[in-house]
Amino acid sequence: MSVQRYAHPYIPNSAPEVKEKMLTEIGFSSIEDIYADIPEELRLKDKMNIPKALTEYELERHVNQLMNKNQTTKENISFLGAGCWPHFVPAVCDEINSRAEFVTAYAGEPYEDKGRFQALFEYQSLVAELVDMDVVNVPTFDWAQAASTALRMAARITKRTELLVSKNIHPDKLMIIKNYTSPDLTVTLIDFENETGRLDLNDLKAKLSVDTAAVYFENPTFLGSVEVNGQIIADLAHAAGAICVVGVDPISLGVMEAPANYGADIVCGDLQPLGVHMHYGGGQSGFIATHDDPTYVMEYPSRLFGIAPTEVEGEYGFGDVAYDRTSFAKREKGKESVGTQTALWGITAGVYLATMGPVGMEEVGQGIMQRSQYAAKRLSSIPGVEAKFAAPFFKEFVIDFSQTGKTVKDINAALLAKGIFGGVDLTEHYPELGQCALYCVTEIHTQEDIDTLVTAIKNIV
Amino acid sequence: MKTSEGTIDKMKRIPRDHKVRRFHQAKWDEPVIFELSQPGERGVEVPPVEPQIVETVGDGISQLPDSLRRKKRPNLPEVSQYRVIRHYSRISQEVLGSDFNVEIGQGTCTMKYSPKINERFVRSPKMAELHPLQDESTVQGMLEMTYQLDLYLREISGMDKFSFQPGSGTQALFTQASIVRKYHESRGEGEQRNEFITTHFSHPSQAATAAVKGFKIIYVPADENGYPDLEALKGLVSERTAAFAVANPEDTGIYNSRIKEFTDVVHAAGGLCCYDQANANGLLGITRALEAGFDMCFFNLHKTFSVPHACGGPATGAIGVTAELAPFLPGPLVDFDGERYFYNRDLQNSIGKVRSFYGVPPAVLRSYAWVRALGADGLKEVAEIACLNNNYLYHKILQIRGASAPYIQGRRLEQVRYSWQQLKEDTGVTTYDVQRRMVDFAHHYWTSHHPYVVPEPFTLEPTESYSMAELDEYVAALTHISQEAYENPEIVKTAPHNSTGHRVLESVLDDPNQWCITWRAYLKKTAQG
């Protein structure tokens, strides 16, 4: 056994005979010759402290053992939302997004990857119907990135530097926006009403100025409330010469009005609710939409896939619209930057919308509203437990436990012991609300799930 | 084959000596999904609401004020389930993923095998059905894998801590630029240090993301051998220097052996050094960021660590930093107290966040599994074979008429930026023509990033995943096209001939009156009259 004849299954040319043959062909005596440019003092002398290789069978056992230390939202009843939501994923979505053609493709040209261009063009087109606008981009990293970019777009269009952002957005999203828009733009927060959770119009009026590039608010808000004053906010922004940017949960749009129809100039949101599993937060994927106005289109940093004729009549072709906008073409002189983002989730969201159709989107939206209202009502019937805001909501709502004398933390720990993941604890980011938690109820929750939660909380408080 | 008496055709051996593949891509003439709509059809039913819920709350939507009730249903197509499947399956056949072609034509992107076992892992509910805000006690397996992968990447890079939050190489570059800014601000030099030095061979996002963070971009020119010019760098650094960001090897595949002198020059001027390790595949176990003097580096998990590219994401740019910079990382970070894994949110100078929650955990899981499948020896083997494959390819391509590889000759690491300048001068055939013709032989071929410092460029990166026979096949296709260019250039210029579609009339895509970014825009802009 002098020669190790081992070739790793992932590395065909690690077979010794092949290695020799290739080295001979190129006139090198050993692999070392290839690395001759790397000086001795930069060479890694020690062997890396990484465990020895596992065969596929060993790997499967090992990784499964680790994964079995996780408890899933399917094995428990979960009411966690806050930017990553449990929704029903039709099997069709999994089937298409696991096709090797899509999974293993990357940056092919319209000639060998025409299907990728078409699938993303269709995704853009399907989301466009939902938001009632004519332009949608190839997805960004997530909603936070989409919002950040929408705000930078607005600042470039208005040539102004101040961004007014409603305070009732996800705290993580706010951090992302702040980092993305600094140092040249400033973010000023607009308060929300304690009664309803909606944007405080007076605070908005006081803060609008000739420096305001954009007003950003969400509907529904992070705290769940439906923002009924959308048109008023948009009108105020426009009167000040600012752009109105609205963040939206797309699964609400089967029943809720599209923001374009109450004054939004730029709409953004997350695609994860549309057929993408939560993946521990890895399912997030952002979209941006605008009207088909060149002033707006030319400010997108993202790829925009368009449909176009080919040399052969009667054939669809696809390609990049206004590619010269992008950093791929112009580096630092392009709009922001573009690269790998979340294309596969975009294709998947397209499959979801095509599968659900207009009726499915209306039904799922209505079903969510019914279940979440039922849950809020039942929870509010528990002594000391009440819904925080007097406002309509879509799928999330804030439950106030202050009167129970118990902390959200204790309640959630007690719920966890019963196999229930309680609502997201808001006390750290919104201490002014008291002992409040954000509950998320969607079409995946049965009446039994909700009743189980209510009974458990009754017993805990 | 006939079997009746006296007419039996004997099975004949099929000669397999043709050099290029006889290929024709699937062409389905598939309509856009909206054209499939048949009112009344649907693809899936939604979960029904229990009667008692309806009894308790009514229709639910009456809660919405009139102004926020959707007036008309979205104009989505109505398509039954099997038709949806056939539609998307057909258009998927019009995509050449790396499971189908010798994907070495996408240089700088490290197209490699994404092991199937890893896909099974991430599609398990144990990964797919986790919520990022679950109690830490319920995700110990995920946290353990994240923590361990951090340790492995530390071994590979020499850095002290990794964050897996950035969602791609571009976002990792942005994170680096954000840390650079925050670092100088923390030392009271935020306004003063506003210059970011990079090179033309770096990824376009390098310059672009630093510009988003407000830096002025300065390019170090390349010298006649293709190295960043050290003397030029010395003239560029000053008290305004915030950072120097570079890949090594750059996209030329040329390793800069004097890199430590570069980082020393920048450090002496008070700047930070950021290593773009998108091209790390040839260096695993060979050389590291730390010894070369870098303060930060990042690895694209979707490149070097085998996460599939998924048509362009989701991906991960794992960013590693020295201990001094660890408090600047986006949070939270996974730590271990000897008993349990937990999130460390105590990062004093954190830039905040760059991506929601913790980034893309399925990418972390896949990379963890990939590293465990290879071990320390296997990782080094990856690097060595990737470089061997590249030098084999390099040797063969230089024998093709009209092709060259500018700058220093003799060897390259894991990729090469080539040029068809001679081919163009001789025949008029450009790198774009070659690109379209390669499709006819089932190969993807990418030109290069802008600006085209190398004329008529193409960049190939064979990685460890392709066999010698496959490399030969790719070379044969390029050789064939070169011959065509010299003998019958029209066939190259009018390509593709065997693909799904023909040449796109690109002027439409740049004309606001004609571009159609969605189907509804197409319907409006192509309406009769």
Side-chain angles (χ1 to χ4, degrees), chain A residues 6 22 25 61-62 72 130 140 142 189 195 202 267 282 299 304 358 365:
Chain A
Y6 168 68
M22 292 176 77
E25 177 100 16
R61 284 185 69 123
H62 169 72
T72 72
L130 210 51
T140 66
D142 53 18
L189 295 180
E195 284 298 297
N202 289 326
V267 172
E299 293 304 331
L304 302 167

Side-chain angles (χ1 to χ4, degrees), chain A residues 345-426:
Chain A
W345 296 154
I347 292 171
T348 308
V351 175
Y352 178 86
L353 291 173
T355 303
M356 294 287 280
V359 178
M361 288 309 290
E362 182 173 290
E363 287 176 356
V364 75
Q366 180 169 9
I368 289 170
M369 290 196 73
Q370 288 172 310
R371 289 177 182 88
S372 61
Q373 284 166 29
Y374 174 80
K377 197 164 181 175
R378 292 290 320 275
L379 285 167
S380 302
S381 71
I382 303 169
V385 177
E386 58 177 9
K388 179 75 184 170
F389 300 120
F393 49 86
F394 178 65
K395 70 186 180 194
E396 290 177 282
F397 49 92
V398 175
I399 290 292
D400 189 349
F401 294 101
S402 303
Q403 301 304 313
T404 65
K406 291 220 155 67
T407 63
V408 172
K409 197 174 171 202
D410 289 341
I411 293 167
N412 278 350
L415 286 172
L416 180 60
K418 295 174 191 286
I420 299 171
F421 297 168
V424 172
D425 191 340
L426 295 174

